[in-house]
Amino acid sequence: EDQVTQSPEALRLQEGESSSLNCSYTVSGLRGLFWYRQDPGKGPEFLFTLYSAGEEKEKERLKATLTKKESFLHITAPKPEDSATYLCAVRGINTGNQFYFGTGTSLTVIP
Amino acid sequence: GAVVSQHPSWVICKSGTSVKIECRSLDFQATTMFWYRQFPKQSLMLMATSNEGSKATYEQGVEKDKFLINHASLTLSTLTVTSAHPEDSSFYICSAFKGGGNTIYFGEGSWLTVV
């Protein structure tokens, strides 16, 4: 069964302190790995889709990378407005339109 | 980008009544839509998957007679919470799968409070 595990569960950073969030996955053929950002009381906002090992995508202070077993969301010099829960999801080639979500990493950036 | 709109954002209803939440894909056709429930500080819990023109597929433990899902067109899915009770109070979120694409896009979510 396709599975996604995110770590850490929660992360507190000082403003400007770079770090990485981890998403480990098992899937029988990866069709896509997805990162979303969710602010409290709102629906998740799409950030990135990664398709194959070695792929990287960037958006402002965020960079997502992918290997055959995990993905990292690197946050460079974070600001308080980066505080949110970051969700990772995978879609496998044998599971149709099903997306499997991790439980998320709650990031707090302290000014 | 792809836009998914949910309505209403907030709803309060009396115990025993029914309430409908709409999910619309505004700028694309959604062959598949998903409905989730989210409790405070917890992750998304998939309730059901709906495909346009066919019956929804419910996750184990989700009462299909209580949470009625209709996906009558490629741009609209509705979730009706029937005979609502206070324990149904929650944050409900929909997402839409863009046909031909490989990404799902989420609505803004709907807060339901049953009093």
Side-chain angles (χ1 to χ4, degrees), chain A residues 4 9 12-14 20 24 38 54 58 60 66 73 97:
Chain A
V4 177
E9 197 173 301
R12 289 172 64 89
L13 299 173
Q14 292 289 332
S20 297
S24 297
Q38 185 176 24
E58 287 188 66
E60 296 180 355
L66 181 65
L73 185 65
N97 292 340

Side-chain angles (χ1 to χ4, degrees), chain A residues 31 34 36 38 51 91 97, chain B residues 32 34 38 43 49 102 104:
Chain A
R31 207 168 191 176
F34 310 86
Y36 293 84
Q38 185 176 24
Y51 294 100
R91 183 184 178 209
N97 292 340
Chain B
T32 302
F34 304 91
Q38 189 173 37
S43 190
T49 302
N102 188 32
I104 56 174

Side-chain angles (χ1 to χ4, degrees), chain A residues 43-56:
Chain A
E45 173 192 348
F46 171 72
L47 293 175
F48 305 110
T49 305
L50 301 168
Y51 294 100
S52 57
E55 188 176 1
E56 297 183 354

